[in-house]
Amino acid sequence: MSWRVPLSDVRIQDSDVEAVLDCLRSGWLTMGPRTAAFEEAAAARLGVAHAVAVSSGTAALHLACIAAGLGPGDEAIVPGMTFVATAAAVRYTGAEPVLCEIRGADDMNIDPADVARRITPRTKAVLAVHFGGYPAAIPDLRALCDRHGLVLIEDCAQGIGALVDGAGHQAGVLGDLGCFSMFSKKQLCVGEGGILTTHDKDVAARAKSLRGHGLTSGTWDRHRAYSSGYDVADFGFNYRIDEPRAALAMSRLTRLDDDIAARRRLARAYRDGFRDVDGLGLVWDDEVAERSSHFAFPVLLPDRRARDGFRAFLRGRGVQTTFYPALHRFSEYRRLFPGLSLPRVEEAADRHCAIPISPHLAGADVDFVIDAVKAAVRSVEEPVEAVA
Ligand SMILES: *Cc1c(COP(=O)(O)O)cnc(C)c1O
């Protein structure tokens, strides 16, 4: 199917291509100088002391869970409204994810009050997700985690560049660990890739060792003859990124701020366009929306039937949409948590629909989407139960 307006729209510029070609021509393809340069630039941009580039956002989450000391017998609290990788990363360590509530359908982020209720003597960490790019309540969670001696991991896969408070703290800064994704649909899109951030140099050093099999030196160090051999000092993985992707990431990082600004402009136009539409709800308020980095633009319909009809109508107009199911309703997680009920997560999962958002969606296409959305709302409002 070819969409008139796709959900996301990736555009690679000539400068991106040149950066990758330069790397390929250099003949050095595994982690080396471009990865190191990207890590330095990413740390500076994200406001943290250390950034470790890895093969995916999921790898960053797994390394964060290891850094948090998670293992068998431990629990980590995870919102029920997230992509499955957040919970899977906890499970890779042998620990158990404990799913918790979000604040509501119009604030689909982790609810600190519900987190507090689910803390047990086995709880070791909280994983906060910036859903759709909208900042989670990190200052509240920071205080809660400090009170209970818990590690705060921020899943920033959808939230790069989001601001978590009015003081300008970015996603990933106030948490103990930040985990970012460079998957092709994310704001900093490379295809595959991730970044782990931390303020702690020992945590960064261990993550760098773990991403490369726990070796004490990398191939680049040996190439430069800084090191002639290596020891295996830890039980590691192959979570390496490669140089062409580090080069692409570096090139795209220079445009991240402009891209987020464009996403915010589009989100403003959508909010203004939808504010007074009966039967259509906006999520979060204007103040939080300004601090979002807008990975997704969810809107709310009255119920699941209306949401599904809304999506079908937009499909007919060539407008691609999606929604995020509740994690505990997937078969794997129904098996793990039989009978678990999270009413606010379920309501949000049933009622929201994400419409296209990208830095390149502008002009007449924005009006086209706004008009199509309004028509879609009218189409699902027509009474259908009149003749029973
Ligand atoms: C995309 C995503 C991830 C996983 O990132 P990958 O780079 O695809 O491994 C984790 N958590 C959330 C919330 C995501 O959206």
Side-chain angles (χ1 to χ4, degrees):
M1 165 131 201
S2 136
W3 299 98
R4 167 152 184 190
V5 187
L7 260 177
S8 65
D9 176 11
V10 175
R11 299 200 190 165
I12 299 293
Q13 298 192 355
D14 289 348
S15 51
D16 298 330
V17 174
E18 278 309 316
V20 175
L21 285 178
D22 271 355
C23 173
L24 294 175
R25 289 188 191 109
S26 79
W28 191 267
L29 301 185
T30 188
M31 281 190 318
R34 286 176 174 82
T35 301
F38 171 66
E39 289 177 334
E40 201 169 309
R45 172 59 189 81
L46 298 173
V48 293
H50 306 279
V52 180
V54 290
S55 53
S56 70
T58 306
L61 281 164
H62 184 192
L63 295 180
C65 289
I66 292 171
L70 287 175
D74 297 328
E75 294 175 352
I77 301 174
V78 175
M81 177 54 74
T82 185
F83 182 61
V84 62
T86 321
V90 172
R91 295 176 68 194
Y92 297 158
T93 68
E96 287 169 40
V98 171
L99 299 193
C100 76
E101 273 285 17
I102 55 172
R103 284 172 151 177
D106 61 355
D107 180 344
M108 288 188 261
N109 272 325
I110 186 166
D111 178 16
D114 195 56
V115 172
R117 281 192 286 276
R118 290 176 202 266
I119 292 172
T120 73
R122 294 165 62 200
T123 310
K124 214 169 216 175
V126 175
L127 283 85
V129 179
H130 303 289
F131 185 82
Y134 293 81
I138 296 299
D140 293 349
L141 291 167
R142 179 73 272 170
L144 182 70
C145 286
D146 288 347
R147 224 161 32 242
H148 293 271
L150 308 178
V151 177
L152 178 57
I153 299 173
E154 290 184 56
D155 180 341
C156 308
Q158 301 184 3
I160 192 167
L163 300 172
V164 302
D165 59 17
H169 291 108
Q170 293 191 69
V173 169
L174 297 179
D176 298 291
L177 298 138
C179 307
F180 297 82
S181 169
M182 298 190 285
F183 180 61
S184 62
K185 298 217 180 258
K186 306 289 162 69
Q187 294 95 322
L188 179 62
C189 115
V190 165
E192 300 288 354
I195 310 167
L196 176 70
T197 61
T198 170
H199 298 294
D200 184 326
K201 78 173 189 333
D202 296 334
V203 168
R206 176 143 193 248
K208 284 182 176 176
S209 161
L210 288 177
R211 81 176 156 185
H213 302 287
L215 307 192
T216 48
S217 73
T219 313
W220 179 245
D221 297 326
R222 294 193 297 280
H223 178 72
R224 289 185 298 175
Y226 286 175
S227 165
S228 60
Y230 63 79
D231 183 24
V232 178
D234 209 336
F235 178 44
F237 311 90
N238 178 358
Y239 283 165
R240 294 186 303 253
I241 195 167
D242 55 48
E243 285 285 272
R245 279 186 287 172
L248 182 57
M250 183 70 145
S251 179
R252 297 191 65 90
L253 185 66
T254 61
R255 289 196 306 280
L256 179 66
D257 288 320
D258 289 345
D259 284 352
I260 292 173
R263 287 172 182 271
R264 288 197 177 122
R265 274 196 300 279
L266 176 57
R268 256 175 242 139
Y270 277 161
R271 291 181 78 88
D272 289 343
F274 301 146
R275 208 173 294 284
D276 301 316
V277 178
D278 283 340
L280 188 70
L282 293 174
V283 290
W284 286 275
D285 60 22
D286 289 347
E287 191 270 325
V288 177
E290 277 302 312
R291 292 193 276 112
S292 172
S293 60
H294 299 287
F295 165 70
F297 193 90
V299 291
L300 290 178
L301 283 298
D303 54 30
R304 185 178 193 146
R305 184 199 59 84
R307 191 274 308 280
D308 293 346
F310 176 84
R311 293 193 67 207
F313 183 95
L314 288 175
R315 190 181 318 123
R317 292 271 177 110
V319 177
Q320 190 184 14
T321 65
T322 192
F323 70 97
Y324 289 81
L327 187 55
H328 61 293
R329 282 171 164 173
F330 286 117
S331 29
E332 167 69 8
Y333 285 83
R334 279 206 308 270
R335 264 196 298 280
L336 201 63
F337 305 115
L340 176 65
S341 156
L342 296 169
R344 279 177 267 158
V345 171
E346 290 156 26
E347 184 197 337
D350 286 346
R351 289 183 55 201
H352 84 273
C353 174
I355 65 172
I357 188 159
S358 93
H360 315 293
L361 181 53
D365 283 339
V366 178
D367 298 327
F368 179 81
V369 174
I370 291 175
D371 290 343
V373 163
K374 288 178 177 171
V377 172
R378 285 194 298 275
S379 82
V380 297
E381 278 199 325
E382 261 128 48
V384 290
E385 296 131 310
V387 275

